[in-house]
C-alpha cells in the first residue's frame, strides 16, 4: 500500500509539473523562446487566489478564475513589453531578459505581500479518500490535481488541432515567415500563446499551494525549474511530451525522497534528466529536426 500511496502522490506532483511544463513547451514550440519568468507567474496566481479567498472572501472557484484572468493579462503584458521587442534578437538576449522579468516579479511580490511565508488553505475542503478498507488514504487535492491535468491536456490538444487559432499556432511553429505570408497575424498568435500559458500557470499555482500550503515570493522558482526540466525530459515543443515528462519527474522525485534521500531527491531528478538526454537528446517524445545548410 505504501508503494501505491507514493505512486499516487508522485502522479499528483507530476501533474502540477505537467501543467506548468505545458506553458513552457507552448511558448518554446511557437515563439522559440524560453520564458524563465513562467515560474513566477505561478507565484502571482497563488497570491491572487490567496487574496481573493482570505481578504475578499470569494468562493474558491471564483478565486481561481480571478487568478487566471490576472495571470493571463500579466502574461500578455510581459510578452508585449519584454519579449516582443526581442523577436529577432539572439537567444542569449531573450534569456537574460527572462531572468530580469523573473527577479522583477519576485521583488514586486515581496514589496506588495511581504517576504514572510503565508499559510495557504486548500481550495478543496473535502475529506481524504479511503480505499481498501481504510488501508490506503489519498488526499482529495491529489485526485483533483490529476483530474484537472487530464482535462487540461485533452482540452489543449483539441484546441491546438481543431480550432482556427490552434492551427495558426501550429503554422507559426513550423515557419513564421510562411505563416505571415498566408495572412496569419504572428504577433497576435504569440500573444495568445503567452496568455494561455499564463492562465495554466495560475491553475498550477493554486493546485501547488493547495497541495503544499506555503506561499512566498519565491514559491514558483523551483517548481518552474523542475517543470522546465520536465518539458525538456518529455521533448520540449511537444504537448504530450510535457505531460509525460511532468508525471515521470513527479514520480521520480517522490520515490527518491521516500526510498533514497530527502536531501538528494533534487539531484536525482536532474541526474535522470542528464542520463535520458545522453541517449535521446530531443527528449522522450521530441522529434529530431534536420537543418539544411
Amino acid at each position: 500500500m505504501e508503494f501505491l500511496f507514493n505512486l499516487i502522490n508522485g502522479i499528483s506532483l507530476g501533474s502540477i509539473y505537467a501543467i506548468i511544463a505545458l506553458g513552457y513547451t507552448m511558448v518554446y514550440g511557437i515563439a522559440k523562446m524560453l520564458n524563465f519568468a513562467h515560474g513566477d507567474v505561478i507565484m502571482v496566481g497563488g497570491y491572487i487566489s490567496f487574496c481573493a479567498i482570505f481578504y475578499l472572501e470569494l468562493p474558491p472557484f471564483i478565486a481561481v478564475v480571478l487568478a487566471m484572468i490576472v495571470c493571463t493579462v500579466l502574461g500578455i503584458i510581459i510578452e508585449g513589453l519584454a519579449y516582443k521587442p526581442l523577436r529577432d534578437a539572439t537567444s542569449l538576449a531573450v534569456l537574460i531578459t527572462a531572468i530580469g522579468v523573473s527577479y522583477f516579479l519576485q521583488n514586486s511580490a515581496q514589496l506588495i505581500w511581504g517576504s514572510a511565508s503565508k499559510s495557504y488553505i486548500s481550495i478543496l475542503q473535502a475529506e481524504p479518500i479511503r480505499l481498501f478498507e481504510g488501508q490506503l488514504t489519498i488526499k482529495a487535492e491529489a485526485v483533483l490535481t490529476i483530474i484537472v491535468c487530464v482535462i487540461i491536456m485533452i482540452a489543449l490538444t483539441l484546441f491546438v488541432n481543431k480550432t482556427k487559432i490552434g492551427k495558426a499556432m501550429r503554422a507559426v511553429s513550423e515557419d513564421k515567415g510562411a505563416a505571415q505570408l498566408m495572412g496569419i497575424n504572428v504577433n497576435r498568435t504569440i500573444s495568445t500563446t503567452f496568455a494561455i500559458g499564463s492562465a495554466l500557470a495560475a491553475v498550477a499555482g493554486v493546485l501547488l499551494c493547495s497541495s503544499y500550503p506555503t506561499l512566498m515570493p519565491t514559491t514558483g522558482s523551483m517548481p518552474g525549474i523542475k517543470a522546465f526540466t520536465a518539458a525538456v525530459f518529455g521533448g520540449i515543443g511537444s504537448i504530450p511530451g510535457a505531460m509525460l515528462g511532468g508525471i515521470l519527474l513527479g514520480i521520480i522525485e517522490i520515490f527518491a525522497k521516500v526510498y533514497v534521500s530527502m536531501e538528494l531527491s533534487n539531484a536525482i531528478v536532474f541526474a535522470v534528466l542528464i542520463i535520458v538526454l545522453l541517449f535521446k537528446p530531443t527528449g522522450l517524445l521530441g522529434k529530431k529536426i534536420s537543418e539544411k545548410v
Side-chain angles (χ1 to χ4, degrees):
M1 289 302 171
E2 182 185 356
F3 177 86
L4 186 57
F5 174 77
N6 292 324
L7 178 63
I8 293 172
N9 283 339
I11 294 174
S12 174
L13 177 61
S15 296
I16 296 174
Y17 290 156
I19 296 171
I20 305 169
L22 286 171
Y24 277 113
T25 206
M26 285 183 66
V27 169
Y28 180 81
I30 293 168
K32 297 298 182 287
M33 291 180 178
L34 294 176
N35 178 23
F36 279 111
H38 191 64
D40 299 290
V41 178
I42 299 166
M43 171 268 297
V44 173
Y47 271 114
I48 296 299
S49 61
F50 176 86
C51 293
I53 293 172
F54 289 93
Y55 298 144
L56 301 179
E57 298 183 353
L58 295 176
F61 177 76
I62 302 299
V64 174
V65 173
L66 181 61
M68 290 177 67
I69 293 171
V70 172
C71 287
T72 298
V73 174
L74 179 62
I76 294 172
I77 292 173
I78 291 173
E79 191 277 330
L81 295 180
Y83 298 134
K84 187 176 179 180
L86 302 176
R87 197 81 85 217
D88 299 318
T90 62
S91 299
L92 181 60
V94 177
L95 177 62
I96 293 172
T97 301
I99 294 172
V101 173
S102 174
Y103 280 116
F104 174 80
L105 291 176
Q106 287 183 25
N107 284 276
S108 297
Q110 187 171 344
L111 289 172
I112 296 171
W113 291 291
S115 57
S117 63
K118 299 183 184 299
S119 297
Y120 193 105
I121 298 177
S122 172
I123 61 168
L124 188 64
Q125 300 298 323
E127 292 293 323
I129 299 171
R130 291 178 172 81
L131 303 174
F132 305 108
E133 297 180 352
Q135 296 182 40
L136 178 63
T137 302
I138 306 170
K139 292 194 298 183
E141 292 83 3
V143 177
L144 175 66
T145 301
I146 296 170
I147 293 173
V148 170
C149 179
V150 172
I151 292 173
I152 287 176
M153 176 65 190
I154 294 172
L156 197 58
T157 301
L158 292 174
F159 175 80
V160 170
N161 292 323
K162 301 296 183 181
T163 66
K164 185 177 180 180
I165 185 65
K167 293 176 181 177
M169 288 178 177
R170 289 160 54 200
V172 172
S173 175
E174 290 291 332
D175 191 321
K176 289 182 186 177
Q180 195 163 15
L181 290 173
M182 294 301 293
I184 295 173
N185 189 324
V186 173
N187 289 329
R188 186 175 63 188
T189 303
I190 293 176
S191 295
T192 302
T193 305
F194 270 84
I196 294 173
S198 298
L200 293 180
V203 175
V206 173
L207 293 174
L208 177 67
C209 292
S210 293
S211 299
Y212 303 90
T214 301
L215 182 60
M216 60 182 66
T218 56
T219 289
S221 298
M222 185 54 72
I225 293 173
K226 289 180 180 177
F228 173 71
T229 302
V232 176
F233 190 16
I236 193 161
S238 167
I239 292 177
M243 184 173 182
L244 177 63
I247 291 175
L248 288 178
L249 206 73
I251 293 173
I252 292 169
E253 181 177 339
I254 293 296
F255 277 31
K257 286 180 178 178
V258 174
Y259 297 112
V260 183
S261 168
M262 181 74 75
E263 291 77 14
L264 294 176
S265 60
N266 288 340
I268 292 171
V269 165
F270 294 118
V272 170
L273 171 69
I274 293 170
I275 293 170
V276 169
L277 293 183
L278 284 174
F279 293 96
K280 203 170 189 311
T282 57
L284 295 176
L285 298 183
K287 295 180 181 178
K288 187 176 181 180
I289 301 174
S290 58
E291 294 184 4
K292 295 181 180 179
V293 294

